[in-house]
Amino acid sequence: MLLTIVAFIVALGLLIAVHEYGHYRVAVACGVKVLRFSVGFGKPLLSWQPKGSPTEFVLGAFPLGGYVRMLDEREAPVAPEERHLAFNTQPLRSRAAIVAAGPIANLLLAVLLYSIVNWNGVQEPKAVLASPVAGSVAHSAGLRGGELVTQAALGIEDMDPVRSFEDLRWLLTRGALEGESVRLDVRPQSGAAHREIRLDMSKIDSREADAQLFRKIGILGPWTRPVLGEVMPDGAAARAGLRQGDVVLKVGTTDVVDGQQLRELIRQSVKGTQPLAQPWRIDRAGQVLNLDVVPEAKLEQSATVGRIGAYVGASPEFVTVEYGVLEGAWAGVVKTWDVSILTLRMMGRMVIGEASLKNLSGPLTIADYAGRSASLGLTQYLVFLALISVSLGVLNLLPLPVLDGGHLMYYLWEGVTGRGVSDAWMERLQRGGVAVLLLMMSIALFNDITRLFG
């Protein structure tokens, strides 16, 4: 819990500070007087003002946001001798640059974080496929498990090398959410020649980007040995006499070739709500044994599945993914761009009803993911920060009046018509924007509570 809280506060503080610093830095560069730079709202916990600077820097008690307060005639009287320092007296291009600088700063931070991860190198599972889910897109395409994916592409794009299973997972996510087919160049375990497999993602209902999405695709994880890990003392595995380190050779009449297939066989070992007893053949330190295993029936997302109370599958084979300086920086730019476009498309699909509003996440889910990523190490936490930074940048560019994108829409109107939005319309649009934003926040918070406590 403590790690989750600390990771969440650090993430919020960094992302908000970078966003507001973008506004602040460009405002100063444009000659605007900045009165206050605040990370957080409410009562100041800490404040200071550097010598010779007109800006007061503040750390607020409520961390969900921040602001940069500039000299502005619309907010308070401005002395005649300082009028040229006011935000509202600046040329249109300067005002637009100041407003756009916040979201752009978040996107640049994401590029930097992805680049650091690329330069530092990370251990990721090798792109060897586990047995696909029966009846899934991958199974229908002819994949059977054990294939090494060497290259992949979305739609008609050129093939790119697949460095790890995470590369493949990202491409599959894009393909499913965009309704584009994914082409894979695979090499079977048998050593047979390479062949190209096409996964038709148009068959997938991808309205909810959750774990079920990959079950529909059929590729849930990398290949692993069908070995048992830790066995729970009171679980079905322990009652059957199974032990940690047992390699499962056969379940019933089905030969077991990898951990994913074994997990699926266990899941499906329930008829209605009753578990089915099955003979298992195992290899225990070179000795072949036959044991009768009766899984436990568990309710999972309105479906009854089998569980044995043991960790199933060994760790996958890992590879080190590392980039050179320029290659890593460019890969950071490409990843930020791809995530931004995917985020926009998902938001657009939610607006028109093609994607579920359950995809909206609020502060509770973000806090949960912050803690989980931090527990996995610095690299995973940096990837999490980059993803949230992209989301924050894209969200603030949406044309909602209370967001930076809404102000940019006002400036676009001013640039086209030669006059600003009237005060009456400004007030109406602001009220509408607040209502939409509150609705989005309410849905996101409801999703958080359902996801974490439902």
Side-chain angles (χ1 to χ4, degrees):
M1 177 61 74
L2 179 61
L3 178 63
T4 296
I5 293 172
V6 172
F8 180 55
I9 292 175
V10 170
L12 276 185
L14 175 63
L15 299 181
I16 292 169
V18 167
H19 181 92
E20 300 305 336
Y21 185 77
H23 292 311
Y24 167 79
R25 187 67 261 167
V26 175
V28 171
C30 291
V32 174
K33 184 177 180 179
V34 178
L35 304 177
R36 174 178 279 192
F37 178 107
S38 179
V39 175
F41 299 115
K43 183 180 179 179
L45 299 177
L46 181 66
S47 65
W48 69 97
Q49 188 166 349
K51 187 176 180 180
S53 172
T55 308
E56 177 190 21
F57 293 85
V58 174
L59 185 63
F62 191 62
L64 294 178
Y67 61 91
V68 172
R69 181 179 297 158
M70 291 170 270
L71 193 68
D72 196 315
E73 291 178 318
R74 297 167 300 178
E75 296 185 2
V78 175
E81 64 272 16
E82 288 194 323
R83 190 172 183 275
H84 67 288
L85 301 176
F87 174 82
N88 66 291
T89 64
Q90 303 305 308
L92 178 60
R93 63 179 180 275
S94 297
R95 284 179 281 142
I98 293 169
V99 169
I104 291 174
N106 283 124
L107 296 176
L108 291 176
L109 174 63
V111 171
L112 176 61
L113 292 172
Y114 281 132
S115 299
I116 291 172
V117 170
N118 293 336
W119 296 330
N120 187 54
V122 60
Q123 288 281 312
E124 294 182 348
K126 193 173 182 180
V128 180
L129 302 179
S131 299
V133 177
S136 65
V137 171
H139 188 267
S140 300
L143 293 172
R144 291 297 178 264
E147 298 94 345
L148 171 66
V149 181
T150 57
Q151 297 184 92
L154 192 65
I156 60 173
E157 295 177 2
D158 294 334
M159 288 274 195
D160 287 323
V162 174
R163 295 171 178 256
S164 71
F165 190 81
E166 293 307 314
D167 281 359
L168 177 61
R169 188 194 299 273
W170 171 245
L171 193 66
L172 292 173
T173 302
R174 287 181 56 200
L177 296 181
E178 297 175 21
E180 284 275 7
S181 61
V182 175
R183 293 160 36 234
L184 306 178
D185 184 78
V186 301
R187 186 177 69 201
Q189 266 186 335
S190 62
H194 286 239
R195 61 193 177 108
E196 183 174 306
I197 296 290
R198 179 178 173 274
L199 305 180
D200 184 4
M201 298 299 193
S202 65
K203 299 177 180 179
I204 295 177
D205 179 4
S206 59
R207 286 175 292 181
E208 294 183 29
D210 56 11
Q212 295 303 310
L213 178 62
F214 285 96
R215 180 164 291 278
K216 296 168 188 173
I217 296 171
I219 299 176
L220 298 181
W223 187 90
T224 60
R225 290 179 66 231
V227 63
L228 297 184
E230 182 181 1
V231 177
M232 301 298 105
D234 300 322
R239 289 194 296 271
L242 293 168
R243 299 178 187 173
Q244 183 172 342
D246 287 347
V247 179
V248 182
L249 306 176
K250 180 175 287 191
V251 172
T253 59
T254 304
D255 292 325
V256 177
V257 296
D258 74 338
Q260 174 56 40
Q261 181 196 19
L262 177 56
R263 285 189 289 272
E264 283 300 306
L265 289 171
I266 295 170
R267 282 178 60 89
Q268 297 165 10
S269 60
V270 175
K271 185 175 183 181
T273 59
Q274 297 300 315
L276 302 175
Q278 292 180 308
W280 283 30
R281 180 173 296 174
I282 63 169
D283 182 334
R284 179 177 293 167
Q287 181 182 7
V288 177
L289 302 174
N290 293 294
L291 300 174
D292 289 328
V293 180
V294 183
E296 298 171 336
K298 299 287 185 180
L299 188 63
E300 182 181 284
Q301 295 183 345
S302 72
T304 303
V305 299
R307 289 283 182 264
I308 64 168
Y311 186 87
V312 177
S315 296
E317 182 182 354
F318 282 82
V319 293
T320 300
V321 179
E322 190 173 4
Y323 295 79
V325 176
L326 294 180
E327 186 187 17
W330 178 246
V333 172
V334 171
K335 186 62 176 285
T336 300
W337 173 262
D338 286 344
V339 175
S340 300
I341 295 301
L342 189 62
T343 302
L344 280 173
R345 286 180 175 171
M346 276 299 295
M347 289 179 175
R349 292 182 64 189
M350 282 190 281
V351 169
I352 62 177
E354 289 186 0
S356 172
L357 292 175
K358 291 181 180 179
N359 292 306
L360 284 175
S361 297
L364 297 181
T365 296
I366 294 173
D368 182 48
Y369 286 169
R372 291 188 188 185
S373 63
S375 68
L376 294 174
L378 179 61
T379 296
Q380 295 302 321
Y381 186 58
L382 293 180
V383 171
F384 162 78
L385 287 177
L387 180 61
I388 299 300
S389 194
V390 171
S391 300
L392 184 59
V394 171
L395 176 65
N396 272 280
L397 287 173
L398 295 179
L400 283 175
V402 290
L403 301 176
D404 294 328
H407 290 283
L408 292 175
M409 291 297 293
Y410 297 156
Y411 299 148
L412 177 62
W413 170 266
E414 184 177 341
V416 171
T417 65
R419 63 181 185 276
V421 178
S422 68
D423 291 341
W425 267 106
M426 185 81 76
E427 185 178 351
R428 295 189 191 102
L429 291 171
Q430 288 293 107
R431 284 203 302 266
V434 168
V436 172
L437 195 59
L438 287 175
L439 177 61
M440 291 174 60
M441 291 173 62
S442 299
I443 294 172
L445 187 58
F446 175 78
N447 290 342
D448 283 357
I449 294 171
T450 303
R451 189 178 294 123
L452 297 175
F453 307 110

